[in-house]
Structure formats: C-alpha cells, structure tokens
C-alpha cells in the first residue's frame, strides 16, 4: 500500500514540475507583453509580424491586442497558481498518509 502512495506522490511531483514550468513560461510571456506595451507607448509607429512579413498597424490597435493577450496570460497564471496549490495540498496529504503507514508498520 505504501508503494502505491509513493508512486502517487511521484506522479504528483511530476505534475507539480509541469505546472511550475508552465507558470514560469507564462510569467515570461507576461513580462514580454508588458515590455512591448511600454515600448509602444514611446513610439509613433508600430509594426506587427504576420506570417513572414512585417505589416504597419495602428499603434492603439496593437496596444489593445497586447492588453488582451496580457489579460489572457494573467488568467492562465491564476489557473496555474490554483493548480499548484491543489497539487501541493494533495502531496502533503499523501505524504502524511505514507508517514502514518510507516509508523503503523514500525509499531
């Protein structure tokens, strides 16, 4: 029984690593979007890469697109944080169960 719990704990650890990796990637994208928006604030012309070409676009449109992208990323970040908390809580519960089983075997 303890080996099944240890396996479950290992799976939870892998899930946590995946979620943390996603979270880090999202945080990096948020930084990029915020940087792009701040750069756009200080310029008069803006360009967007579409496929393999660069197209001139209205600066305000690009800022609003980036703002929307930032909002989506913030929501994804919140979801990752919630997943992280749930996985950590599950890990603590399973760890406690493993410790209890080990103690009861030693007694």
């Amino acid at each position: 029984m303890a080996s099944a719990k240890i396996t479950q704990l290992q799976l939870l650890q892998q899930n946590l690593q995946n979620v943390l990796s996603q979270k880090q990637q999202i945080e990096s994208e948020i930084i990029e979007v915020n940087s792009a928006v701040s750069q756009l604030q200080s310029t008069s012309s803006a360009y967007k890469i579409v496929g393999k070409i660069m197209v001139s676009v209205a600066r305000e449109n690009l800022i609003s697109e980036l703002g929307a992208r930032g909002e989506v990323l913030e929501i994804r970040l919140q979801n990752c944080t919630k997943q992280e908390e749930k996985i950590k809580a599950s890990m603590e519960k399973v760890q406690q169960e493993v410790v209890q089983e080990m103690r009861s075997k030693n007694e």
Side-chain angles (χ1 to χ4, degrees), residues 15-16 18-20 22 76-90:
N15 289 343
L16 181 62
N18 290 338
V19 168
L20 290 174
Q22 287 176 355
R76 287 182 58 202
L77 182 62
Q78 290 172 1
N79 288 339
C80 281
T81 302
K82 287 178 186 176
Q83 275 185 306
E84 177 186 0
E85 291 169 1
K86 285 180 183 178
I87 292 171
K88 284 182 178 179
S90 296

Side-chain angles (χ1 to χ4, degrees), residues 2 5 92-107:
K5 299 251 186 230
E92 286 180 26
K93 180 182 174 195
V94 173
Q95 283 175 337
Q96 289 173 355
E97 290 172 1
V98 168
V99 169
Q100 290 287 37
E101 285 184 28
M102 299 295 231
R103 285 184 182 156
S104 62
K105 279 186 180 180
N106 290 337
E107 292 175 356

Side-chain angles (χ1 to χ4, degrees), residues 8-25:
Q8 183 182 3
L9 198 56
Q10 289 172 337
L11 288 173
L12 286 169
Q13 180 67 35
Q14 288 175 349
N15 289 343
L16 181 62
Q17 290 297 329
N18 290 338
V19 168
L20 290 174
S21 176
Q22 287 176 355
K23 186 176 173 183
Q24 187 176 21
Q25 186 176 8

